[in-house]
Amino acid sequence: MALKIASININGFRSRRKHALVKTFVLENKIDILLLQETYVDSLRLAKNIEHFLHLNGRCLWNFGKADSCGVAIFLFNDNIRIENFHADVLGRVIRLDFAVDGYSNFRIINAYFPTNSTERLDFMSNFSQYLSGAKNLILGGDFNFIMDPKLDKIGGNLAFGTVGSKAFKNIMKQIGLTDCFRYLFTDKKSVTWSRSNCAAGNKTSNYDFIGTRLDRFYISSLIKNAVTSFDNLPCVCSDHNYIVINLENHRGIDIGKSYWKLNDNLLLDDDFVTSFTFF
């Protein structure tokens, strides 16, 4: 099994110019799966026009989103990828895709766009594990809108700012068993995927001319982390975020196989659970 997966906060994907630039990037870099955040695509007609332009009819998964989430999408450029199941959340921030490739199944990829507001981000994160659990061959990518380590994931600005959510996400990583693909290959390397100039933003009071953070990341199930053979952080001319690209090679994943579903029957003694389950 070999896959090349890219992710980008595209900051709007309505213009033909961006469609053409993304198409060129995918072809030149031989991308199999592309994750997009902040698409601003809000109609089926526009989505179908984009699919036709990219020659991806029936191979695009959309979640149009709302005003604050702006929508996410997954594009499948590898014809060997077989869609088994997918789910889009009601907030327009998540797409979960279960797929098989080259005869191997039990793979799940999730495209996520975390809230920029710290309070909303924590609320969003409190329910995020539902998309991750039960998948041993898991790939999670997207724009997380917070950083894990200010010393390594940020340049300029206030190093104490931008970490809200990191503690909660570390708990999720431990609970699910996730590995940061970039940190797996580059333990102590300083890197950013989003940047801006304070001067260009009209901020004349700041002591810093440049701020950069590593908001865009890929995580993978720790059981198959050795499948990650490369990680590229590539500039994008049509966004303030970079493309991030991982290459997965020579790994069939963990075969989950058939098993029995088990119920903790102590739950049946919990009145709240019984009420919720009956309602469901």
Side-chain angles (χ1 to χ4, degrees):
M1 186 274 293
L3 283 175
K4 204 167 188 180
I5 308 172
S7 178
I8 178 73
N9 180 322
I10 198 64
N11 196 18
F13 199 54
R14 299 173 65 90
S15 74
R16 280 297 183 95
R17 174 177 174 269
K18 285 194 176 184
H19 303 163
L21 288 170
V22 167
K23 184 177 182 179
T24 299
F25 170 82
V26 167
L27 293 174
E28 289 182 349
N29 291 275
K30 299 179 181 178
I31 302 299
D32 296 301
I33 302 176
L34 176 64
L35 314 182
L36 295 179
Q37 304 89 42
E38 282 202 270
T39 63
Y40 288 89
V41 174
D42 56 4
S43 72
L44 186 59
R45 180 177 181 180
L46 176 57
K48 291 300 179 183
N49 287 339
I50 294 171
E51 291 180 26
H52 179 73
F53 178 80
L54 297 175
H55 305 292
L56 280 176
N57 295 330
R59 307 285 289 170
C60 296
L61 304 177
W62 298 92
N63 192 350
F64 293 151
K66 300 180 179 180
D68 58 346
S69 60
C70 309
V72 292
I74 298 179
F75 296 168
L76 304 176
F77 293 93
N78 184 335
D79 292 334
N80 292 324
I81 296 173
R82 186 180 78 251
I83 298 173
E84 295 184 331
N85 191 15
F86 71 92
H87 170 79
D89 77 326
V90 297
L91 300 175
R93 294 188 176 279
V94 178
I95 296 179
R96 182 189 68 199
L97 167 64
D98 293 336
F99 68 95
V101 60
D102 297 334
Y104 301 126
S105 58
N106 298 323
F107 283 91
R108 173 176 293 177
I109 189 165
I110 295 174
N111 182 15
Y113 176 59
F114 281 61
T116 55
N117 179 277
S118 57
T119 302
E120 293 177 6
R121 190 185 312 137
L122 291 174
D123 290 340
F124 175 78
M125 206 173 298
S126 66
N127 297 310
F128 190 68
S129 293
Q130 64 179 306
Y131 304 110
L132 310 177
S133 58
K136 291 188 177 179
N137 305 308
L138 175 65
I139 306 155
L140 166 63
D143 179 356
F144 291 79
N145 270 315
F146 67 92
I147 56 175
M148 299 296 288
D149 186 342
K151 294 181 179 179
L152 294 176
D153 298 334
K154 189 170 187 178
I155 299 174
N158 184 349
L159 292 182
F161 181 76
T163 60
V164 176
S166 60
K167 183 177 180 180
F169 196 76
K170 285 177 183 176
N171 291 333
I172 292 175
M173 291 178 65
K174 183 177 180 180
Q175 173 191 354
I176 303 298
L178 292 176
T179 295
D180 183 330
C181 294
F182 180 79
R183 287 283 163 240
Y184 172 65
L185 296 176
F186 308 102
T187 307
D188 298 317
K189 183 176 181 180
K190 200 158 192 172
S191 180
V192 301
T193 63
W194 169 88
S195 62
R196 80 173 184 202
S197 167
N198 281 326
C199 293
N203 185 349
K204 299 180 180 179
T205 62
S206 174
N207 295 323
Y208 303 94
D209 294 328
F210 175 87
I211 295 178
T213 51
R214 192 170 72 94
L215 300 179
D216 308 89
R217 302 190 289 275
F218 273 116
Y219 294 89
I220 194 167
S221 296
S222 298
L223 290 171
I224 58 170
K225 64 183 180 182
N226 59 349
V228 182
T229 58
S230 66
F231 190 111
D232 294 309
N233 185 357
L234 306 173
C236 178
V237 298
C238 54
S239 176
D240 53 355
H241 288 252
N242 290 353
Y243 288 104
I244 55 171
V245 184
I246 57 170
N247 198 43
L248 308 180
E249 291 185 3
N250 303 322
H251 211 294
R252 59 173 294 171
I254 304 298
D255 188 5
I256 297 175
K258 295 181 179 180
S259 64
Y260 292 103
W261 181 79
K262 304 174 183 67
L263 169 69
N264 177 4
D265 57 6
N266 284 329
L267 289 172
L268 301 178
L269 303 177
D270 185 318
D271 292 338
D272 290 336
F273 173 81
V274 172
T275 300
S276 301
F277 189 80
T278 303
F279 176 77
F280 177 78

